[in-house]
Amino acid sequence: MVPLALAAMYAPAASAQATQAEPPAATEDPGTTVVVTGFRSSLQKALNLKQQAIGVRDSIVAEDIGKFPEANVAESLQRVPGVILNRDESSGEGQRISIRGLPTEYSVTTLNGAPVNTTSTATIGSAARGFNYDVFASELFGRVDFYKSPLAELTEGGLGGIVDLQTPRPFDNPKRTIRYGLTDTYNTSSKHNDPNGFVLYSNTWDNLGFLIGASHSGSINTRSGFEATGGYNSSFNGSQNPVKGNFALALDFDSPLANLGGYTRDQVAQALLPRIYRFYGSQNERTRDGLVSSLQWKTSTLNVSFDTLYSKLENTRAEQLFGILVRSTATTNRNAPVGASGNNGLIPLDVHIDPGTNLLTGTFGNTTYNAGAAYTKDDTKFGYGALNASWKASPKLTLSGQASLNQSTATSATGQLSGYIYGATSTIDYGSDHVYPSISSPTSYTDPNSWSGFTIGTGWTKETDKGKQARVAADYDYDLPGGWTGHLKTGLTYVATIKGVNKRNGTALATAHLNSIGAAGLRSAMTSQLPINNLDFGAGWPHSWATWNSNYFYSQFDPNVYNPESTFTPSQSFAAEEDVKTAFVQSDFKGDIGGHELRFNAGVRFSKTETDIDNFKQKGAGLVYSPNHEQGSYSNVLPAFSSAFDLTDDLMWRASWGKTITRASLSIIAAQTVIPNQFDNSATSGNPSLRPQQSKNLDTSLEWYFKPGSLLSAAVFQKKLTDATVANTTVVPFSSLGLPDTALGPLFQDANGHVDPNLAMTLRTYTNAGEQTLKGYELAYQQAFNFLPAPWSGMGAIASYTHINPFNSTPWITNAGKVIDVNSVPKYAYSTTVYYEQGPWAARLSYNYKDKSLHPDNPRNLGDDLIRWRAGRGYLDANISYKINENLEFRIDALNLSNTLAYDYFEDASGKYGSGKKTRMDYAKYDGRTIKFGIRGKL
């Protein structure tokens, strides 16, 4: 047994699990002990862990085994100061987190101490380093530890911070436990019910314990609203050479039908139109199944466990798109067919310019409509297994370690069938609600004979993450002179990860089949009954148009059929392996200075990273993609220091300094020039020479534990980044990219499947920048109001606020030369929670808000003076429960009670036409409210 323990040992997981159960909190009267349960108990345990830590650590602790405070781990983490939640744009669920404003790939997630990666839905194929929390149900976890300051023992790579997810083990609660939950979920937008449930069994027999749990959840939600699909531009800017703004556009002022009314040509040319004026509606259906288990042997000196975790997320999305194409329209050849390239310029017939927003509305001739039916199936499977052990070799020496394997496989199969109406006369008007504007035309939208120019685009993506890890460590307690004590920890770690991206583009095969069906066959399959129910259109948008339902789409154009191996896309595919060998040593010290306890930790971590990349590069005169292999290696020395000093019995001062790194995303190291989204005219070019980003971090804080279960704290942080990865955008013609026409979707192709070689493309390249500084501060408050008279003594509150100084890698300069302070991350974020627990009743109300931030697709001025912001957004959640007896409770959870509008907007940097909030909007959609009601209990 001892050799087994030495071969697969891991101290942090074992010690963290051992300390998970905290003693009951007590009131200030030592003669009275009050047992704290429920959410308040969870907060108390987390606060105890924070107070005991030397570095900056926060924790989220399950209320009981299998009873995590929120349904989604990421949504729990947003209570932690400095954490900003990023939601999945399809389901509305919390998906990824950013820490202190740094992008999501700047954080590392570990599972019981082992680094893991997984992806889902829209991030499949992005190859970004990160972790999608929506793959997992929260019932599968017992605790989450969140580290914002570096320690030598912690995995490197998390420049922002490290999140350690801990699965439950039977000796966390050494007795027989059976927990279960049954819930019905209702979304107010989709008006659909879905059952959810979980069950967990745990038991111990002397030194042996076993735990197993399973969960299932499902949800259906709909989203609808307005999309400009990338912004606004004027005919004046869009007709420049090179194009100013983010798309080309030239109104047809020379048509004999053109009528500007009382406006001058220059006024109309300077007014703004969206890239596409369209309605978007979607229905997203997802199911999530999970399984967790642990077999544990525990004695007074030996603790061995084998832990597993499995999760499967299936996501099916149906999308309906309908609107007028504005981008890339111009009339340069009136002899060309109406609507064809060269004869598709919009003719102003009766237009209006809003003086406050400079938006151009009214009636236009020669408009081109596009209706698209898009269907996507995403699938993520994640598996993990780990052998953990710790052996107390003597009262002062503990040997420990871990060996683990994990794998994530995610696939996405998608396609879009589209049709067009050419040469129509149309009237557009935003009205008072720009989320649901209006559109009309004398041309029938529902008559299949109005539609022609049918196209199909399809693709298939597979992203895999494989990881294996081994770690051995030794902990040794020792005494020092003057009553000081020390705790030495040293160890070795090996981590090997393989990421692969396999992309296929079967558009050519699917187009051949579409041509064999013919226009008449496609029209006969169209229906005016939209395949998505309960969409909100507003009063001015048509409620139906000719389209195709999912049955027809999958019977004729199933992406899994039309994206075989022969459609492999080498420019967007690669495999990359990273082997990281690490050695670390650190020591904790504890002693008194002037009667006040001082604890500090000092250590250093050395890591060597070797990278092997297999991708494809264009070679020879014919620029044929051929296999390519590249290698690289680098080393890092990462010192770390943390301290905690008790100024008084309830006032603590912390300080930490350390060096951390974040490795650049493999998608921008290994990949070549690619178009990530074939329906968007933007491209990305990789850079295999990117160096890891480094940061020197400084944190200091004051924490006042003024009452049991209470905290008031203030922290200041600074990160000095060197070699930061920054995006640089330029507008280039499509022909300069060296990509085939099929790299772009049918929206950009003519009748022969060719893309205009002069089509303006936004090319994003990446380089290492010089030094940048990110700094800010955090405030936190937590208190149980047990000083109030009953029944108000059951109340309590939590609040946190994070402020980040404006931070952007590229100066934003107006056309007049003025430098604008823009923040690429939210300038501030806050979270507030008020809760109540008294007798059988418990309730909680939470509001989380993050400020606006610069959209990464437009980090600088493109010549149009429009700043693209992701609007600030806040979410109001609540729950209420009633404990029927000690073993059964009824619970209602309400998510997004505020029915928050998520959107981008375009601010006029010159100040002439305002902020653009709620007017010059893009991707503006409501998610609806989700209500969950059910029971949770134990046997």
Side-chain angles (χ1 to χ4, degrees), residues 305-356:
S305 68
F306 180 69
D307 307 316
T308 68
L309 179 68
Y310 173 81
S311 191
K312 180 179 180 181
L313 176 69
E314 293 182 331
N315 201 85
T316 301
R317 184 168 61 258
E319 300 168 283
Q320 289 292 317
L321 319 169
F322 176 80
I324 296 175
L325 303 180
V326 179
R327 52 103 185 107
S328 304
T329 56
T331 296
T332 57
N333 179 13
R334 298 192 188 280
N335 295 322
V338 173
S341 179
N343 193 10
N344 57 5
L346 277 64
I347 305 170
L349 301 178
D350 181 14
V351 295
H352 173 74
I353 302 173
D354 181 69

Side-chain angles (χ1 to χ4, degrees), residues 281-443:
S282 70
Q283 177 175 282
N284 196 85
E285 180 176 0
R286 61 169 41 193
T287 59
R288 178 171 48 225
D289 296 287
L291 184 68
V292 64
S293 71
S294 179
L295 181 64
Q296 186 176 14
W297 176 269
K298 187 175 183 180
T299 69
S300 59
T301 58
L302 184 64
N303 187 355
V304 181
S305 68
F306 180 69
D307 307 316
T308 68
L309 179 68
Y310 173 81
S311 191
K312 180 179 180 181
L313 176 69
E314 293 182 331
N315 201 85
T316 301
R317 184 168 61 258
E319 300 168 283
Q320 289 292 317
L321 319 169
F322 176 80
I324 296 175
L325 303 180
V326 179
R327 52 103 185 107
S328 304
T329 56
T331 296
T332 57
N333 179 13
R334 298 192 188 280
N335 295 322
V338 173
S341 179
N343 193 10
N344 57 5
L346 277 64
I347 305 170
L349 301 178
D350 181 14
V351 295
H352 173 74
I353 302 173
D354 181 69
T357 63
N358 199 33
L359 289 173
L360 183 64
T361 58
T363 302
F364 298 84
N366 198 29
T367 59
T368 299
Y369 282 82
N370 167 253
Y375 296 95
T376 303
K377 291 183 178 179
D378 303 321
D379 179 276
T380 298
K381 296 177 182 177
F382 177 89
Y384 159 90
L387 181 64
N388 311 271
S390 66
W391 175 48
K392 196 171 183 63
S394 72
K396 292 188 175 184
L397 176 65
T398 300
L399 303 177
S400 57
Q402 180 192 65
S404 68
L405 297 172
N406 66 84
Q407 178 169 334
S408 170
T409 303
T411 59
S412 178
T414 185
Q416 179 173 316
L417 185 58
S418 301
Y420 298 84
I421 297 176
Y422 298 114
T425 298
S426 304
T427 300
I428 62 174
D429 183 18
Y430 294 99
S432 60
D433 184 0
H434 288 233
V435 181
Y436 299 109
S438 66
I439 189 172
S440 62
S441 173
T443 301

